[in-house]
Amino acid sequence: TALPRLSDPAARPMLEALWNSEAVLAGRPQGEAGTPALQRWGDASAMVLRRYLGILQSGVNDQAELGRRIAAHQDELTRGFTFLLRVGTSVQQGARDRVSRLPEAQRQGPEVKQALERLGTGLAQISQGMLGLLRTPGLRPENSRAMAEALAQDLPLFRPLLTAPLRQAVAQSAAGLTPTLQDAPTRAAVERVQRMLAGAE
């Protein structure tokens, strides 16, 4: 139950290697060839993030206490969620690269459509998780900005995979969050997410 912390010199190199968003960004645009390895990396990081969330939520019935636990681990959660968004965005680039080279009949087939919809659903869920985390009292500006700006930067790349209900759900979460944000750059990034989901950008 002792979670690795970025503040721990022994754990920091491991966590920085696991949640290395810059390495993912450096590989864009993501092609098909490296996507399976990237997906495995993403799966491993998602497993670790779920472990963090499971332990933080374990035995907590009071939302204030949960908020305190999340705030105490905000550095790790920010890194984890931002990395998952970056990986998911890059994986869908690789998937679309693969699909672009399939015969027309296969590209329009139900299996391909369902696979791309699953990727879109996963990215919408990660986006919702990040927007929820932005509601945490005590979240430091550098962490709120990192998540909000990652959403604003990556959304144009995966927006085509979001169905209308998914776009609406994420947009509603962003709209409900915006009035609560005190940090101006964070608020500006979330407002940009709203506009993009509405098709205004």
Side-chain angles (χ1 to χ4, degrees), residues 59-82:
V60 178
N61 297 314
D62 178 57
Q63 285 299 116
E65 172 59 22
L66 179 58
R68 285 190 289 271
R69 290 188 182 188
I70 289 175
H73 292 80
Q74 60 178 281
D75 292 344
E76 293 78 23
L77 296 178
T78 295
R79 283 304 239 336
F81 269 107
T82 302

Side-chain angles (χ1 to χ4, degrees), residues 131 134-136 174-183 187:
L131 291 169
L134 286 172
R135 293 181 178 276
T136 303
L177 171 67
T178 303
T180 71
L181 296 171
Q182 300 299 312
D183 180 65
R187 186 169 58 253

Side-chain angles (χ1 to χ4, degrees), residues 26-177:
R28 291 183 180 174
Q30 177 69 34
E32 176 188 355
T35 301
L38 184 63
Q39 180 69 68
R40 289 192 295 272
W41 186 9
D43 289 346
S45 69
M47 179 181 66
V48 173
L49 183 59
R50 284 194 298 269
R51 183 66 173 162
Y52 272 80
L53 293 171
I55 290 175
L56 293 176
Q57 294 167 353
S58 178
V60 178
N61 297 314
D62 178 57
Q63 285 299 116
E65 172 59 22
L66 179 58
R68 285 190 289 271
R69 290 188 182 188
I70 289 175
H73 292 80
Q74 60 178 281
D75 292 344
E76 293 78 23
L77 296 178
T78 295
R79 283 304 239 336
F81 269 107
T82 302
F83 178 80
L84 279 188
L85 181 78
R86 298 296 200 196
V87 164
T89 300
S90 291
V91 165
Q92 66 85 31
Q93 282 186 316
R96 291 168 72 184
D97 180 45
R98 172 180 169 80
V99 168
S100 71
R101 289 196 295 275
L102 293 174
E104 177 68 19
Q106 283 185 262
R107 286 204 303 271
Q108 302 302 324
E111 290 184 1
V112 168
K113 182 180 179 181
Q114 289 168 9
L116 293 177
E117 285 181 353
R118 283 195 297 273
L119 287 172
T121 298
L123 283 160
Q125 290 171 342
I126 295 168
S127 301
Q128 292 278 48
M130 294 172 78
L131 291 169
L133 193 56
L134 286 172
R135 293 181 178 276
T136 303
L139 195 66
R140 294 193 302 278
E142 63 267 26
N143 285 331
S144 67
R145 291 173 191 175
M147 288 187 286
E149 289 169 3
L151 276 170
Q153 290 165 9
D154 277 23
L155 180 58
L157 301 177
F158 67 81
R159 182 175 57 178
L161 296 187
L162 300 181
T163 62
L166 287 175
R167 288 197 300 272
Q168 183 178 13
V170 178
Q172 286 176 345
S173 295
L177 171 67

Side-chain angles (χ1 to χ4, degrees), residues 5-24:
R5 306 299 302 273
L6 285 161
S7 58
D8 178 359
R12 186 179 185 91
M14 175 187 69
L15 294 176
E16 287 185 335
L18 178 66
W19 292 328
N20 189 344
S21 294
E22 293 306 311
V24 176

